[in-house]
Amino acid sequence: MDGKEPEMEFNLLDEPWIIVKTKANETKTWSILELFEHAHEAQELAGELPTQDIAIMRLLLAIMHGTFVTENIETVDDAIELWTDLWEEKQFRFDEIKAYLEPYHDRFWLFHPTQPFYQSAHIKQNMDGYKAAKGKKISSDIKWKTVARLVGDLFQSDNAPRLFPTRTGDAQNRLTYAEAARWLLHLNGFDDDSAKMPTPKGVGYLGQLGLLYAKGRNLFETLMLNFVLVDDRDEVFDDGEGDSKAYWEKPVCEVIEREIPQPRAQKDLLTMQSRRIFLHREHGMVTGYLLTMGDYFAKDASLLNEMMTVWKADDAREFSPKRHRLEYQVWRDFASLLGMKQNDGKNKQPGIVHWLQILEDSTDAIKMNINLFHICVTGAFYNLKGAGWQIVDYIQDDLTINASLLAKMNEMWIQEIVGILDKTKDAVRNLGDFAADIAEVSGNSFQGGLSTKRKEIVKFAQEEGYHHLDQAFRIWLLGINPDNDELEMRTAEWLLMAKKTLLQLAQEQLNQCSDTALVGYVKGGVEQNAIKAFQKFQYRIKNILG
């Protein structure tokens, strides 16, 4: 700092920094207090990236846990009663939120001599102390990282031109305080693990998750739907306990790196500090930052208190977070999304989905007002580059389902949908094999079934199949109403749609075959050509899909 700026500057409770989209499709920038006062008037958070929005959402949810959850919330019934009372008011109890935050006002200064928000004011001294303990050379110079790396790490990513075409010239080197506040939260949650001091224990905590959240008809509803008060064992969280604390409720930790137990309280987990960060400002703009490792969990930590992730079976931990796959439509992972049993017989529902199921079964608030649940997934996609993992893209997708599908009485519907998606997956796999067969009779030599060229052909054909099934499945799923529909009829409807779509794609490929492919060749006394490959595909598809 050059000494010209005031010691305390830009309080996040009072200054506008969170971007929202209003009901009139306009964008506005609100402070934390403005957002809670007017959340019912906005559609959604609308920051630069979906991952930035979920980092901010978790901060807002932690404030809600700190405000509304007390030691009186001891049972599931208590939690449902609290949630329902808040929901039915259709807007936040602003006076209660303001009263909760008032004692912590000084903890929300973006710039503060000892406790800047989500930062470590003494990071240089702490880094020097760490180096000294390791016998490393200490320099008096401060090597600030440029803000280009603060902005989602995308100036160095494969997709920078597409995602940030407008940040050119001097804008690449300077951020307003509002911009810096948003990217500060994003960096804390999604930072990569490229070279730092010390070497990180993996990417930021949020980057390790397959994040999902529920979206309501306005920002108030979205925050409320993700305000999870009990876990998937129907036990109330410890947010009302005296030793559970959000980031601003406890002293700033100056330790460079620290292994911590996973907190039981949601407001603690939602404000986890994966990194130690310090922003550098000059003449009212942020021009750089310092960064080191922060808090992390042990490698064998269960992480089961996390409510905003999908899960996979894990031999060491029973379950572990399951990251989303790039260019992998969310409905293809329907079983994980809703926590249905996999082939290994294991399942764990995402905490938010379990909470929505509780609300659907236990309250009139949801049943009277919401007919559809919008489940959104997001996350960062990392590639191994050099010595570490670096962000190369971001994932965002969503799926809309009839709210009554989550009712426990309709679990058979979910199981059947998972079953027909398994059949669909098998059918698409055969479409890939058909494409490879066509390529082979067209003169391609794969030198074995596992050749790289064959894999590429199979993968391309399968992605093409899923692309053509994508909108059809979303529309079909959206139209399901278990209260009125017949299960067998609706599942047969999808299987027929999938069969027609995949057969049409195969027919189109057959129509484009060369004469060489149509004539084919004889191998081991058996004639191989495009017509026979198509007939084999027809036979398999009809066996799979009916």
Side-chain angles (χ1 to χ4, degrees), residues 126-139 197:
N126 297 332
M127 291 170 68
D128 289 347
Y130 180 88
K131 289 179 180 178
K134 296 292 184 180
K136 297 183 178 181
K137 183 180 178 180
I138 299 175
S139 172
M197 194 288 302

Side-chain angles (χ1 to χ4, degrees), residues 165-230:
T166 59
R167 294 196 72 86
T168 59
D170 191 51
Q172 297 182 54
N173 303 312
R174 301 163 68 85
L175 292 175
T176 66
Y177 291 166
E179 289 175 316
R182 295 192 296 271
W183 288 117
L184 172 67
L185 267 68
H186 188 271
L187 182 68
N188 178 63
F190 292 97
D191 184 40
D192 61 29
D193 69 347
S194 56
K196 298 178 182 70
M197 194 288 302
T199 303
K201 308 295 190 296
V203 300
Y205 175 63
L206 298 187
Q208 301 173 34
L209 307 176
L211 288 161
L212 81 164
Y213 63 95
K215 184 178 180 180
R217 294 166 297 190
N218 58 49
L219 184 52
F220 164 77
E221 287 191 357
T222 295
L223 290 171
M224 283 298 301
L225 290 174
N226 295 282
F227 183 40
V228 182
L229 299 178
V230 300

Side-chain angles (χ1 to χ4, degrees), residues 74-265:
E74 298 179 347
T75 67
V76 174
D77 289 341
D78 294 336
I80 292 173
E81 182 179 359
L82 168 64
W83 190 93
T84 305
D85 288 345
L86 293 171
W87 174 267
E88 290 179 342
E89 294 183 24
K90 298 183 180 180
Q91 64 185 72
F92 285 114
R93 297 172 182 171
F94 177 66
D95 289 343
E96 291 184 26
I97 291 175
K98 187 176 181 181
Y100 163 73
L101 289 170
E102 187 59 35
Y104 306 109
H105 187 271
D106 280 355
R107 294 299 304 275
F108 284 83
W109 290 104
L110 189 61
F111 301 101
H112 188 282
T114 60
Q115 50 188 22
F117 184 78
Y118 266 46
Q119 298 170 73
S120 174
H122 305 109
I123 191 170
K124 176 62 168 66
Q125 299 94 307
N126 297 332
M127 291 170 68
D128 289 347
Y130 180 88
K131 289 179 180 178
K134 296 292 184 180
K136 297 183 178 181
K137 183 180 178 180
I138 299 175
S139 172
S140 59
D141 296 333
I142 300 178
K143 296 182 179 180
W144 300 101
K145 294 180 181 290
T146 67
V147 294
R149 283 189 57 82
L150 181 62
V151 182
D153 230 3
L154 292 184
F155 284 99
Q156 287 74 34
S157 85
D158 296 341
N159 298 292
R162 176 173 63 86
L163 290 169
F164 287 97
T166 59
R167 294 196 72 86
T168 59
D170 191 51
Q172 297 182 54
N173 303 312
R174 301 163 68 85
L175 292 175
T176 66
Y177 291 166
E179 289 175 316
R182 295 192 296 271
W183 288 117
L184 172 67
L185 267 68
H186 188 271
L187 182 68
N188 178 63
F190 292 97
D191 184 40
D192 61 29
D193 69 347
S194 56
K196 298 178 182 70
M197 194 288 302
T199 303
K201 308 295 190 296
V203 300
Y205 175 63
L206 298 187
Q208 301 173 34
L209 307 176
L211 288 161
L212 81 164
Y213 63 95
K215 184 178 180 180
R217 294 166 297 190
N218 58 49
L219 184 52
F220 164 77
E221 287 191 357
T222 295
L223 290 171
M224 283 298 301
L225 290 174
N226 295 282
F227 183 40
V228 182
L229 299 178
V230 300
D231 63 18
D232 59 355
R233 296 168 297 178
D234 294 341
E235 295 181 4
V236 176
F237 288 115
D238 295 339
D239 291 278
E241 301 296 327
D243 58 351
S244 65
K245 297 183 184 298
Y247 165 80
W248 48 85
E249 295 177 336
K250 53 190 175 183
V252 175
C253 177
E254 298 288 359
V255 179
I256 288 289
E257 63 174 355
R258 181 179 62 166
E259 181 181 305
I260 61 172
Q262 191 192 27
R264 173 70 181 157

